[in-house]
Amino acid sequence: MARAAVRGRLTGRLAWQVATVAGVREETATARTIVLTAPGFAGNLAGQHLDVRLTAEDGYTAERSYSIASAPGEPLEITVQRLDEGEVSPYLAGELRPGDELEVRGPIGGYFVWDAADAASPLLLAAGGSGIVPFRSILRHRAQLPGTAAPARLLYSARSADDVIYRSELDRGEPGLAVTYALTRRQPPGWTGHAGRVDDALLGQVAWPAGQDPLAFVCGPTSFVEAVAAGLTGLGYRPARVKTERYGGTGGR
Amino acid sequence: MSPVSRGFHGRRRAEDAAPGRVPPGQYVTEDFPVLSAGPTPHVALADWTFSVRQGGEELRSWTWDELRALPAEEITADIHCVTRWSKLDTSWRGVPVEALLEAAGREAGYLLAFCDGGYTTNLPAADVTDGQAWLAYEYDGEPLEPEHGGPARLLVPHLYFWKSAKWVRGLELLDTDEPGFWETYGYHMYGDPWREQRYAGD
Amino acid sequence: MAAVDGNAIGGLLHEVFGAEMTAAAARCGSCGMTGPVASMVVYRQGPGVVARCRRCSGILMVIVTVRGMNCVDLRGLARLDTTATAGQPAGEGTTW
């Protein structure tokens, strides 16, 4: 049943449409959630993304993709991490105001998606930086479902505590969800959690044993995703059970 | 009609930067963006060769040491990428392509550069003579890094930078102009940034 | 700049094929490996999009957009199967 509903959302024409900024919410000093009103938007699955297009007065256009932070049925939200050298993110995470219009296309994606049919498998979510965004959608959708999903673990790598997006939501906790942070550059005084990048040792501690047939999602910079996916393969995870979404960045392949 | 995004300007416009030095539609960058169509090839210098070929025959080839023994030049050039960034006053060191073709001893109207990783790009032979093109192996005073095309790449600054083939391993002499990799998919056969020849038909 | 993966061109592929494609199963014409389009190694900073096999780096797809028109080369694919169920590739799904 769930699969049929899923398939229905993945076919059909995908057109650019105008969305209006209904509100903004500063998540960290450099990341902002943008709430959008898009009358033609058909709703999204957890894990999908939105393409966003900007047009300057001289006709110049720039396009980027942003993961959807909202769960199915919730008002459409994306979270944008400002990249200092970026062309689009400083605008979206800075200048953009409620009432402004954006062109959006979506929702996009049928692979990097979590739905009710996946709820029976122990879930591992590994996020590097802004890779946490689609996992907010997934975790909120998981909490929407009736019944009890199999337990989930979130491994979230961020530069510092100040860079953790959705911190208060994650701190509120959720039944059946354990969160582990890796703070790679700066740690607060008295930090007893992992300092430095996610390594195979940390992964080995946090990941579900492969024998439990877990499902893993890994999202973030390409170098982060490649390292974690390789680590999970080393722990015995079957490739078809490790879903990846690479955001690019420097380094990596 | 797409609505205009209030307050969005995109990259800094060329007019602000260096009037007269920036071709239409370009913006100036201080970075040196790394753009690729595939993974960075790695070749040991001991295995590296550059060859000039024609009709299935190798006319002349050079090992790395032989290339480095050839008279080389310092080049300062503005470079223009079809993805709209331009970088001014880049400095290189390399061997004029003209010298390599002379050593091969044959003439042809057109060239097809071929590279590690399979990339190709085409050029008229007339565009690699008279101080227009080099086989470059140093950038900014240092050995050319692999991600920027090292050990050696073509440098043809008067054309869009996709013609300055990275990881180049040789030139094929041809009688007709044959489209290389991007040209096959609709990019311009010649690629003059000053006439904004980005796509076929421009 | 690092490569991304097939997820990043999901919108473009939907525009080209008229349907969601990231979950479709693709077989590499060079080495025979099968996996979801989402797992292809995608280079897109240059003049066009090049999607390569994660195992052998062979080119699977090239998409160039010129004057609003997409030119698509799929010659590198031995097979492209869109009957995959969302989230689960229909092919052998080996070492992507």
Side-chain angles (χ1 to χ4, degrees):
Chain A
M1 259 333 202
R3 287 289 186 211
V6 157
R7 223 175 281 125
R9 284 201 180 100
L10 298 173
T11 57
R13 279 199 48 107
L14 192 69
W16 288 100
Q17 56 177 294
V18 178
T20 308
V21 178
V24 298
R25 204 161 65 232
E26 309 301 329
E27 302 285 354
T28 68
T30 55
R32 172 201 266 181
T33 291
I34 300 168
V35 186
L36 295 167
T37 305
F41 189 70
N44 59 280
L45 305 173
Q48 288 186 308
H49 68 264
L50 208 61
D51 286 346
V52 173
R53 182 165 72 188
L54 303 177
T55 305
E57 275 182 12
D58 62 359
Y60 174 82
T61 64
E63 249 180 69
R64 297 292 186 275
S65 299
Y66 295 99
S67 291
I68 296 171
S70 45
E74 295 180 338
L76 177 60
E77 294 183 350
I78 57 173
T79 301
V80 176
Q81 172 72 56
R82 183 218 311 278
L83 304 174
D84 288 334
E85 300 306 315
E87 178 182 30
V88 170
S89 64
Y91 171 75
L92 294 177
E95 174 66 34
L96 190 76
R97 313 178 201 141
D100 283 342
E101 290 182 332
L102 299 171
E103 280 191 295
V104 301
R105 178 173 68 178
I108 297 162
Y111 158 84
F112 198 77
V113 164
W114 184 95
D115 66 15
D118 298 314
S121 302
L123 183 62
L124 174 67
L125 305 172
S130 54
I132 188 65
V133 178
F135 297 157
R136 178 180 185 273
S137 177
I138 289 175
L139 289 170
R140 290 175 73 87
H141 183 48
R142 182 174 165 276
Q144 286 171 341
L145 298 175
T148 312
R153 291 179 183 164
L154 169 64
L155 176 57
Y156 184 177
S157 172
R159 289 182 182 167
S160 70
D162 292 339
D163 293 295
V164 170
I165 304 171
Y166 316 133
R167 182 65 191 270
S168 48
E169 288 181 59
L170 291 171
D171 282 350
R172 270 203 295 277
E174 203 180 292
L177 169 66
V179 181
T180 302
Y181 295 99
L183 300 184
T184 63
R185 290 202 194 165
R186 280 191 324 276
Q187 302 81 34
W191 177 251
T192 54
H194 187 86
R197 291 172 188 235
V198 171
D199 52 24
D200 285 346
L202 179 63
L203 205 52
Q205 285 166 27
V206 174
W208 300 105
Q212 294 181 17
D213 196 29
L215 179 58
F217 287 75
V218 189
C219 183
T222 297
S223 53
F224 173 85
V225 172
E226 310 260 287
V228 173
L232 291 175
T233 303
L235 290 171
Y237 279 55
R238 286 186 293 115
R241 299 290 280 171
V242 179
K243 302 245 182 121
T244 51
E245 180 156 298
R246 296 162 180 80
Y247 283 174
T250 55
R253 193 195 290 233
Chain B
M1 286 298 294
S2 297
V4 167
S5 312
R6 183 204 57 79
F8 174 67
H9 304 296
R11 303 272 182 207
R12 188 158 55 104
R13 297 289 104 200
E15 289 70 47
D16 305 328
R21 285 181 67 182
V22 183
Q26 303 287 108
Y27 68 89
V28 175
T29 184
E30 306 293 321
D31 303 330
F32 194 173
V34 174
L35 307 184
S36 294
T40 300
H42 293 280
V43 60
L45 293 179
D47 300 329
W48 185 95
T49 58
F50 183 89
S51 54
V52 179
R53 307 181 57 85
Q54 187 177 45
E57 184 195 342
E58 182 181 278
L59 302 179
R60 183 70 199 266
S61 82
W62 293 262
T63 62
W64 181 254
D65 290 340
E66 287 168 341
L67 175 73
R68 295 305 302 266
L70 294 174
E73 295 175 352
E74 305 290 328
I75 308 113
T76 301
D78 296 343
I79 61 182
H80 311 293
C81 180
V82 74
T83 61
R84 299 184 184 270
W85 59 263
S86 288
K87 191 165 171 63
L88 307 181
D89 297 318
T90 62
S91 65
W92 308 80
R93 182 174 175 77
V95 173
V97 171
E98 188 168 29
L100 301 168
L101 293 179
E102 272 175 25
R106 294 246 191 101
E107 284 186 357
Y110 299 94
L111 306 169
L112 184 72
F114 55 89
C115 312
D116 280 330
Y119 182 75
T120 57
T121 190
N122 57 304
L123 298 152
D127 282 79
V128 301
T129 57
D130 296 319
Q132 296 182 93
W134 296 264
L135 181 58
Y137 51 77
E138 274 181 24
Y139 171 72
D140 222 17
E142 299 289 330
L144 185 62
E145 289 177 11
E147 64 174 12
H148 283 302
R153 72 178 298 162
L154 273 190
L155 175 63
V156 193
H158 72 284
L159 301 176
Y160 280 119
F161 217 48
W162 90 73
K163 298 283 186 180
S164 292
K166 295 198 281 196
W167 310 302
V168 70
R169 296 297 298 274
L171 295 170
E172 182 82 33
L173 303 185
L174 299 168
D175 294 325
T176 57
D177 200 8
E178 298 294 327
F181 184 82
W182 291 121
E183 296 85 359
T184 300
Y185 293 114
Y187 278 85
H188 202 275
M189 289 288 271
Y190 185 65
D192 178 355
W194 294 99
R195 286 180 281 168
E196 215 168 356
Q197 293 176 337
R198 299 178 197 270
Y199 310 115
D202 280 344
Chain C
M1 290 167 193
V4 288
D5 57 36
N7 291 298
I9 55 170
L12 173 63
L13 292 175
H14 199 133
E15 189 180 291
V16 165
F17 290 94
E20 138 54 38
M21 292 297 289
T22 61
R27 186 204 289 280
C28 174
S30 300
C31 77
M33 179 145 122
T34 303
V37 167
S39 288
M40 293 179 179
V41 185
V42 170
Y43 299 88
R44 57 162 183 185
Q45 304 280 1
V49 171
V50 176
R52 292 178 178 267
C53 173
R54 191 161 288 279
R55 182 159 78 189
C56 76
S57 284
I59 292 180
L60 300 174
M61 297 189 201
V62 180
I63 304 172
V64 172
T65 304
V66 174
R67 296 195 199 90
M69 213 153 54
N70 296 316
C71 170
V72 183
D73 180 354
L74 304 175
R75 275 174 295 172
L77 287 171
R79 198 170 115 217
L80 185 60
D81 183 351
T82 58
T83 62
T85 322
Q88 288 197 334
E92 293 94 69
T94 53
T95 57
W96 291 89

